[in-house]
Amino acid sequence: MKRITSTTLLATGALLAGLVLPATTARADDTPARVDLRVLVVTDGGPATQAIAAELETAGTPYTEIDLNRADRPVINAAYLSDTVGGRARAKFQAVVLPNDNPFPANSAEMTALAAYEQTYGIPQVDAYTYARPEAGLQYPVYGGYSGSLDGVEAQVTTAGRSGAFGYLAGAVPFEDNSPTVGESYAYLSTPVAGADFTPYVEAPIPGTTKKGSLVGEYRHGGRRELVVTFVYNRYQQQFRLLARGIVDWMTGGVHLGASRNYFAVHVDDVFAADDRWNSVLNCTPGDVDCTDPNATPDPIRMTAADVDAAVAWQNARGLKFDLAYNAAGSVDYRNDNNGADPLADRFVNQRNEFRWINHTYTHAFLGCEQDISVVPWRCATLPGGSVKWVSRTAISDEISVNRVWGQTAGLPLENGELVTGEHSGLRVLPQQTADNPNLALALADNSITWLGSDNSRETGQRQVGPATTVPRYPMNIFYNAGRAAEQVDEYNWIYTSRAQGGSGICEDNPATTTCLPTPLDPATGYTNHIVPLERRIALGHVLANDPKPHFIHQSNLAEDRIAYPVLDGVLDTYQALFAASTPVVNLRMKDIGRELQRRTAWQTAVQAGQVTAYRIGDTVTVEAPAGLNVPATMPTGTLRAGTAYAEAYAGTRSGWTAATATPLTLTLPAAPAPLAATGVQGPVPAPAPAARVPAGVLDPVTPGTDG
């Protein structure tokens, strides 16, 4: 039977009240120590510590990394971990992440120094991936536990986990099983050692028994607190992505620089226009520059008024707005060909306030170099002297301004600073066009464009193009030239199968392509059974990675079979099943996504330059940063700034951005039950941890994409 101690009751009470705030008392006179808001990550190069470091990096949480494989690394000793500032004891790190519970050799002075530091200052330790053993508070797996794969297993957050750092989850933590031939997970499932002060936060069934074993749990011993993780993961796997926020909140007590959200935005390109259909006989798209067969006749796919109604109904049911990137010439041309009638445009204009709108240029013209389509693939046309012949500044400006005027006349609720060019043209596109059209930046300035959509499969980062900052967009592998599921499957088979199977051979020429097919998909079931689950997983991975970049599809995907909805529903249904109501999907428009990415870059630059100082003394957090810099921070519920609730509620904490001023940012933390206090007697340092297995199947996946 588990021994109940006063320490157990104290820690459990703190968990039930929320996150456990780390202790800050380090001196006999009870003068609170200063604890800097920075995490120490000690890595052995394994995927688990790399995943936690990536989570800190993405959120903007400062950390220092020590690589145990480097001969020139600093030595971890008392002087490295702590010192005195202004007569006050200072802990330089608010949390410590280790590869396992003790990655150092036997009798290591470094592990002894870390243990003393953690005990003295109340600093939590995360064992990123460790073997289940008594030194970590758990029985060896051979005693009624389990060692092996958890592919496809559904773990559960315990009551204690939901009451504390993992309360943003609904309960289920499914482990991925994406391939029947690859082992994607490995874990040690075990129960706490009798008498150990150990609280499981995430458990899974132990095969062959009625018991559950811990995968994530807190072990309290010798005046120290450890988060013991006994499964391996990489930064992309769903099981880690679900738990990453809780791991960080546990180690920091919910008090840290940096902030994260789960974002999802969907842009729909080519609205009002028609997209040419894939031809399954010619294996190309009539109307495209690379489809030169003289028998190729374009077959347009265009939404109907009923599709608009379906889009509005879907938005209302899902609580998510589409961003519609429109080409007004599509409606003008349709009216010219249909005696002035365009039911689609009429319905969209009538429902205009149900959507967000983005200028996608008037005709969707290619705005880079002038294309020479006499060859396949096309090339840039050149002037007699051999220089590139560019689309003119006037032509680009007209595409932007005429489309804007049409939208304003129709009453569309536009953000005039947003623009997505057709095919992201004007921006460099390899291999044909190695530089931006020099006239693009000038035309953007002519039209006061500040946010310019780019293709994330070509450029993953933001950059300046004249007055505009790019906003990278994820292309979804739902093809622009498919309105029906069978067309999507046919083109998918053509692209991703071998020449011997009737495909394009792209996978033979580029073996690293991750979407290659061993055999063609069944035209009747391939979309539902293969493409939809794959695209759902890829998009959901972005949502769970604190990644605000938008995804884009095309209006054709909301027409005919409306093939986009199964993927989008799959993302949102899965999300809602996994997360508590306190953690909703955040649906930003393009300019706000651009600002979020821009703020992150500025913040990371300032942190790396040493321009940010942040620390906690008692219940007060102080952040000093250059005036005007936006500071991201996450704090427990009840935190006040100048007597007012700090930032926004999200995932059980308060977080957001605050502009720094000449006066340091000061936050007052809520009163909370005392955490595990220093005992004055340090417990024994555990023996070095045995090697924990990392299966070969745990690899960093590559996210596939398509051109827009």
Side-chain angles (χ1 to χ4, degrees):
M1 183 174 183
K2 182 177 178 181
R3 179 170 58 89
I4 303 298
T5 66
S6 58
T7 300
T8 302
L9 293 173
L10 186 62
T12 302
L15 283 168
L16 292 175
L19 297 166
V20 180
L21 298 178
T24 58
T25 299
R27 296 174 56 182
D29 61 2
D30 288 336
T31 300
R34 163 177 157 169
V35 179
D36 285 1
L37 300 190
R38 175 174 284 269
V39 175
L40 176 62
V41 178
V42 180
T43 180
D44 60 357
T49 47
Q50 290 176 344
I52 293 175
E55 174 70 11
L56 298 172
E57 182 81 20
T58 303
T61 303
Y63 69 97
T64 296
E65 184 174 274
I66 293 180
D67 186 347
L68 295 176
N69 298 309
R70 290 179 60 106
D72 60 347
R73 70 173 178 84
V75 175
I76 302 172
N77 54 28
Y80 183 81
L81 297 168
S82 62
D83 60 9
T84 300
V85 175
R88 185 187 297 274
R90 175 177 71 147
K92 298 180 183 179
F93 306 101
Q94 66 180 131
V96 174
V97 178
L98 298 182
N100 51 54
D101 59 292
N102 182 0
F104 299 96
N107 303 314
S108 166
E110 291 185 293
M111 189 66 227
T112 299
L114 277 169
Y117 173 73
E118 293 167 7
Q119 191 263 356
T120 300
Y121 292 96
I123 302 300
Q125 173 182 307
V126 174
D127 306 333
Y129 172 48
T130 196
Y131 187 72
R133 62 185 189 134
E135 291 87 344
L138 295 168
Q139 295 276 11
Y140 290 115
V142 294
Y143 298 124
Y146 169 77
S147 302
S149 172
L150 287 187
D151 291 7
V153 169
E154 184 171 285
Q156 289 286 332
V157 180
T158 66
T159 300
R162 289 195 301 272
S163 298
F166 300 94
Y168 58 90
L169 294 172
V173 182
F175 276 60
E176 290 183 337
D177 186 13
N178 301 317
S179 171
T181 61
V182 176
E184 300 161 41
S185 66
Y186 197 87
Y188 302 100
L189 288 172
S190 186
T191 55
V193 171
D197 192 355
F198 191 101
T199 302
Y201 293 151
V202 181
E203 296 178 322
I206 297 175
T209 76
T210 59
K211 297 184 298 182
K212 293 181 178 180
S214 178
L215 289 168
V216 182
E218 180 175 336
Y219 180 39
R220 296 168 290 273
H221 63 105
R224 299 167 59 210
R225 298 170 55 229
E226 293 181 51
L227 191 71
V228 180
V229 183
T230 57
F231 71 95
V232 72
Y233 46 87
N234 66 43
R235 63 182 291 187
Y236 300 102
Q237 289 181 303
Q238 179 174 276
Q239 52 266 33
F240 172 71
R241 293 263 35 101
L242 292 173
L243 298 172
R245 178 188 298 275
I247 292 172
V248 173
D249 282 348
W250 180 89
M251 75 168 85
T252 63
V255 179
H256 60 87
L257 296 178
S260 65
R261 297 283 190 274
N262 294 337
Y263 300 93
F264 193 40
V266 180
H267 292 186
V268 183
D269 288 6
D270 305 349
V271 169
F272 299 133
D275 292 298
D276 293 323
R277 192 185 309 276
W278 170 256
N279 186 303
S280 60
V281 176
L282 301 174
N283 289 323
C284 65
T285 305
D288 280 7
V289 295
D290 61 351
C291 196
T292 58
D293 192 296
N295 298 314
T297 302
D299 180 12
I301 308 167
R302 190 172 190 256
M303 292 177 68
T304 66
D307 295 326
V308 177
D309 294 340
V312 172
W314 184 87
Q315 288 189 152
N316 291 337
R318 304 306 326 212
L320 183 143
K321 278 186 178 292
F322 287 126
D323 293 85
L324 303 184
Y326 74 96
N327 307 106
S331 176
V332 173
D333 291 345
Y334 192 92
R335 291 187 191 279
N336 288 338
D337 294 339
N338 292 275
N339 298 316
D342 186 3
L344 171 65
D346 292 343
R347 187 66 56 87
F348 261 131
V349 170
N350 180 262
Q351 300 283 353
R352 58 189 176 272
N353 292 320
E354 296 292 330
F355 305 97
R356 297 191 293 238
W357 297 84
I358 301 172
N359 188 340
H360 195 32
T361 72
Y362 187 63
T363 68
H364 200 279
F366 189 84
L367 302 180
C369 61
E370 292 192 15
Q371 293 174 297
D372 176 359
I373 61 173
S374 64
V375 293
V376 177
W378 63 270
R379 62 190 174 193
C380 287
T382 56
L383 296 169
S387 60
V388 174
K389 189 174 183 181
W390 299 104
V391 173
S392 71
R393 174 181 181 176
T394 299
I396 298 173
S397 186
D398 286 348
E399 282 286 329
I400 299 169
S401 60
V402 173
N403 204 52
R404 176 187 287 167
V405 169
W406 188 97
Q408 291 171 333
T409 302
L412 304 184
L414 293 171
E415 286 287 344
N416 287 333
E418 297 179 343
L419 176 71
V420 177
T421 58
E423 300 180 65
H424 304 101
S425 60
L427 297 173
R428 59 190 178 222
V429 53
L430 300 177
Q432 295 100 324
Q433 184 186 315
T434 59
D436 296 342
N437 182 342
N439 296 318
L440 176 64
L442 301 174
L444 297 179
D446 293 340
N447 290 276
S448 301
I449 299 299
T450 51
W451 303 106
L452 178 65
S454 63
D455 187 339
N456 190 78
S457 67
R458 300 173 187 168
E459 300 183 68
T460 59
Q462 283 187 297
R463 63 184 178 94
Q464 286 298 120
V465 182
T469 305
T470 60
V471 179
R473 307 190 306 160
Y474 283 114
M476 300 190 81
N477 231 359
I478 309 173
F479 301 140
Y480 79 96
N481 51 6
R484 304 184 183 109
E487 296 164 355
Q488 167 83 12
V489 173
D490 184 85
E491 184 175 4
Y492 204 91
N493 283 338
W494 160 252
I495 295 173
Y496 297 121
T497 57
S498 67
R499 293 182 179 89
Q501 295 170 324
S504 67
I506 189 175
C507 291
E508 295 156 279
D509 299 338
N510 302 276
T513 306
T514 60
T515 42
C516 296
L517 297 170
T519 58
L521 301 175
D522 185 323
T525 62
Y527 187 67
T528 299
N529 293 347
H530 180 87
I531 299 174
V532 168
L534 177 59
E535 289 305 305
R536 176 205 61 80
R537 177 168 60 85
I538 292 169
L540 182 62
H542 299 151
V543 174
L544 302 185
N546 185 28
D547 189 343
K549 294 176 184 176
H551 297 74
F552 71 94
I553 57 174
H554 295 80
Q555 63 84 32
S556 52
N557 307 141
L558 301 185
E560 299 180 347
D561 286 356
R562 300 171 183 166
I563 59 177
Y565 290 119
V567 175
L568 304 181
D569 282 331
V571 172
L572 296 174
D573 288 343
T574 304
Y575 185 91
Q576 291 174 359
L578 296 174
F579 286 87
S582 63
T583 314
V585 164
V586 177
N587 176 224
L588 301 179
R589 72 171 304 139
M590 192 167 92
K591 71 170 185 177
D592 296 319
I593 293 169
R595 287 171 180 164
E596 173 69 18
L597 294 171
Q598 207 171 45
R599 289 185 299 200
R600 293 185 188 189
T601 299
W603 170 252
Q604 294 286 9
T605 299
V607 169
Q608 292 168 7
Q611 297 175 333
V612 176
T613 300
Y615 54 89
R616 176 189 170 205
I617 298 175
D619 292 336
T620 301
V621 171
T622 302
V623 183
E624 301 170 1
L629 179 70
N630 285 294
V631 175
T634 298
M635 298 289 147
T637 300
T639 298
L640 301 178
R641 180 191 178 204
T644 301
Y646 170 71
E648 301 173 345
Y650 192 80
T653 58
R654 308 282 301 190
S655 58
W657 295 86
T658 304
T661 65
T663 303
L665 171 65
T666 302
L667 304 174
T668 303
L669 300 173
L676 177 63
T679 63
V681 178
Q682 183 179 323
V685 174
R693 183 169 182 262
V694 180
V698 179
L699 301 172
D700 289 352
V702 177
T703 300
T706 59
D707 290 339

